[in-house]
Amino acid sequence: MRRHLHAEWTKLRTLPGTGRLLLTIVVLTAAVSVAASAVVSCTPAGCGYDPARILFFGVQVSQALVAVLAVTAISGEYGTGMIRLTLTAMPHRTGVLAAKAILLAVITLITGTAAVLAAALTARHLLLGNGFPAGMLDLMSGPNLRAAAGSVLYLTLIALLSLGVATAVRDSATAVGVVLGLLYLFPALILMISDAGWQRLLWQISPMNAGLAVQATTGLAALPLSPWAGLGVLAAWAAAALLGGGLLLRVRDA
């Protein structure tokens, strides 16, 4: 596994634009959270907003860049034909995919932590100025800490989901389209369907809706799933994608 990790790390860090993409994830997460914080306010009568969801709102946008990063980690090799050299040098295909998943998870954890921290620190000042109580914005409180850590894990699971999809479909554009479709199609369908039962079911199986429940710090009783259970739904999607991609990688020709 050490040889696999070294080889995959060399390829990942030498991909064109990887550094810029990671930096953009951090900047975009913070910028979108700041923009969201600038347009909400809390009155003496009540806030009506979950402050953690506002603080980490940028995750909903930057997840698309995380998906692009994960897709390019393997689909680029299919596009150039380098995958044949990779599998010739390291014929243990499951090990190749496992190494990619481990490195991608570590990089996303680090980048996601920086992004969430930047978003929290910059957006918090705006929310305080817009009337939100300091107690609601205590970043070390249990609910807010869970929302922050959960947002980082959310981005990491998005990366693993994207890697699995890209391994299965091979083509970069198709893989990104499938992942973004999975993320954004369910929320659109929920808005289009009037039946409450179907809305609840779609919410519960939606990778994005269920996964982002981990950011909730208010109104938890009204959620179709608890925060950690919602993140578990996304974890199941990621595991299924990696399993499917891994099986196809083993049985298909490079």
Side-chain angles (χ1 to χ4, degrees), residues 227-240:
W228 289 118
L231 195 65
V233 170
L234 177 57
W237 277 95

Side-chain angles (χ1 to χ4, degrees), residues 55-112:
L55 285 174
F56 308 123
F57 184 78
V59 168
Q60 297 189 36
V61 179
S62 62
Q63 64 180 341
L65 295 182
V66 171
V68 171
L69 173 68
V71 166
T72 56
I74 188 167
S75 60
E77 290 191 66
Y78 280 110
T80 61
M82 186 182 292
I83 191 67
R84 297 185 182 89
L85 296 176
T86 296
L87 298 180
T88 299
M90 294 178 292
H92 184 44
R93 299 187 176 197
T94 303
V96 171
L97 182 59
K100 287 182 182 292
I102 291 171
L103 286 173
L104 192 60
V106 171
I107 290 173
T108 309
L109 279 171
I110 295 171
T111 305

Side-chain angles (χ1 to χ4, degrees), residues 220-232:
L220 299 184
L223 293 176
L225 288 172
S226 68
W228 289 118
L231 195 65

